[in-house]
């Protein structure tokens, strides 16, 4: 399964594409940063971000999009721009009919470092190790986007297996009940 | 000039279209609210909002889009959704190549009520009066969107006149200078 992780930002938006499956190390497909000019009018920046993300989605054809969830605890001055960028990212995925998911920063850190309060350096180290890269991914601020993609592959996989098992259990329970009702 | 005012919100996004020019009372062309299901996944809601705004833009063909600016002083729990909705609104306008503008709530209140701290009731009263409506616009929460459109018509007009006058003044100054340089 191929996942595009997006670390939303208006000035720098990290994008990381990872191919893999739950429980196995993944492979890095691409890593990029979409930049917009902080001096440009807001609508122009949002359009440039949307164009950039659409081009990357078209190029790498992921099967799912995972976006870091914006928190109100973030720096209040930057939270609005980050929220707008995350909205554009989720819309870009949904527009293509792709499943989307959001993860909190601590869910992402927990997934790749086993520690929800890991720092940026630890995340970069673990992403480099998990994806068996020769050196830390560049641009550096895209390591988080790769971590988000890995988080989705691993957690999403677990979630999907649980959902599947639950559905099977319910189906086997439901069958006699349904026969019962038919009597 | 026809302006679409947008009062961004994820659950209820107010839209008001006004035709007019600076210094003259305007005419209401349309008023609507785009609603999205609070229970639906975020990406689905953003897509529904984008679809709704695009349909209204296509139907009413405004020449400009004005969106209320999101403030970090807003309720922190709702600011992220409001910021995402405003991003979608600005993108929808920019995607069509329309000029976009943002105004703070107090700029809007000042424009229609002459008072930056006017309450919701006063804004509705003044919008009804300015647009010479027989009764307050419905749905009620779209009155703000009409106020944003009126604000843009009036303030945008003043701004455009100042820009034009400045350009004329600069041109008349620049002409002899250019001749001077040519000597």
């Amino acid at each position: 399964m191929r996942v595009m992780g997006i670390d939303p930002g208006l000035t720098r938006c990290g994008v990381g594409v990872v191919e893999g499956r739950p429980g196995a190390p993944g492979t890095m497909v691409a890593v990029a940063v979409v930049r917009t000019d902080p001096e440009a009018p807001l609508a122009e920046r949002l359009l440039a971000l949307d164009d950039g993300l659409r081009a990357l989605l078209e190029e790498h054809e992921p099967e799912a999009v995972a976006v870091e969830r914006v928190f109100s605890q973030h720096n209040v001055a930057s939270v609005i721009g980050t929220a707008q960028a995350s909205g554009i990212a989720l819309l870009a995925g949904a527009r293509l009919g792709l499943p989307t998911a959001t993860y909190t920063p601590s869910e992402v850190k927990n997934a790749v470092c086993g520690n929800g309060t890991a720092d940026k350096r630890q995340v970069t180290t673990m992403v480099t190790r998990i994806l068996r890269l020769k050196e830390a991914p560049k641009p550096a601020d895209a390591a988080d986007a790769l971590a988000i993609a890995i988080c989705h592959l691993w957690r999403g996989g677990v979630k999907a297996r649980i959902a599947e098992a639950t559905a099977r259990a319910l189906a086997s329970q439901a069958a006699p009940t349904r026969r019962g009702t038919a009597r």
Side-chain angles (χ1 to χ4, degrees), chain A residues 8 68-74 78-80 82-84 86-87 103 105:
Chain A
E68 191 163 284
R69 192 175 301 168
V70 187
F71 261 120
S72 45
Q73 290 98 311
H74 277 192
S78 72
V79 74
I80 292 171
T82 310
Q84 289 171 326
S86 78
Y103 296 99

Side-chain angles (χ1 to χ4, degrees), chain A residues 3-8 14 16 64-69 89-90 99-103 145 148-153:
Chain A
V3 176
M4 179 177 286
I6 300 178
D7 184 21
V65 173
V67 182
E68 191 163 284
R69 192 175 301 168
L90 287 164
T100 59
T102 59
Y103 296 99
I148 296 160
I150 294 168
C151 172
H152 182 73
L153 275 172

Side-chain angles (χ1 to χ4, degrees), chain A residues 114-161:
Chain A
N115 170 9
T117 61
D119 64 20
K120 217 172 166 61
R121 195 187 47 77
Q122 284 174 280
V123 171
T124 303
T125 303
M126 284 308 298
V127 164
T128 310
R129 198 171 296 170
I130 291 165
L131 300 175
R132 290 153 302 164
L133 304 173
K134 289 204 179 110
E135 50 184 19
K138 279 176 192 169
D141 50 3
D144 278 345
L146 291 168
I148 296 160
I150 294 168
C151 172
H152 182 73
L153 275 172
W154 290 4
R155 287 185 50 121
V158 171
K159 273 188 200 167
R161 278 207 303 273

Side-chain angles (χ1 to χ4, degrees), chain A residues 8-142:
Chain A
L10 205 46
T11 304
R12 305 171 69 82
C13 183
V15 177
V17 183
V18 176
E19 179 103 38
R21 56 187 170 79
T27 310
M28 185 176 87
V29 175
V31 64
V33 173
V34 179
R35 293 178 177 81
T36 76
D37 177 6
E39 305 295 318
L42 179 55
E44 220 171 87
R45 300 181 72 186
L46 295 168
L47 189 58
L49 176 60
D50 189 47
D51 284 342
L53 292 176
R54 281 180 191 227
L56 288 165
L57 284 163
E58 214 167 281
E59 183 180 350
H60 300 295
E61 298 185 331
E63 289 147 83
V65 173
V67 182
E68 191 163 284
R69 192 175 301 168
V70 187
F71 261 120
S72 45
Q73 290 98 311
H74 277 192
N75 174 0
V76 211
S78 72
V79 74
I80 292 171
T82 310
Q84 289 171 326
S86 78
I88 302 298
L90 287 164
L91 178 67
R95 176 71 54 215
L96 293 176
L98 298 175
T100 59
T102 59
Y103 296 99
T104 65
S106 69
E107 282 176 319
V108 174
K109 288 170 181 174
N110 219 334
V112 300
C113 301
N115 170 9
T117 61
D119 64 20
K120 217 172 166 61
R121 195 187 47 77
Q122 284 174 280
V123 171
T124 303
T125 303
M126 284 308 298
V127 164
T128 310
R129 198 171 296 170
I130 291 165
L131 300 175
R132 290 153 302 164
L133 304 173
K134 289 204 179 110
E135 50 184 19
K138 279 176 192 169
D141 50 3

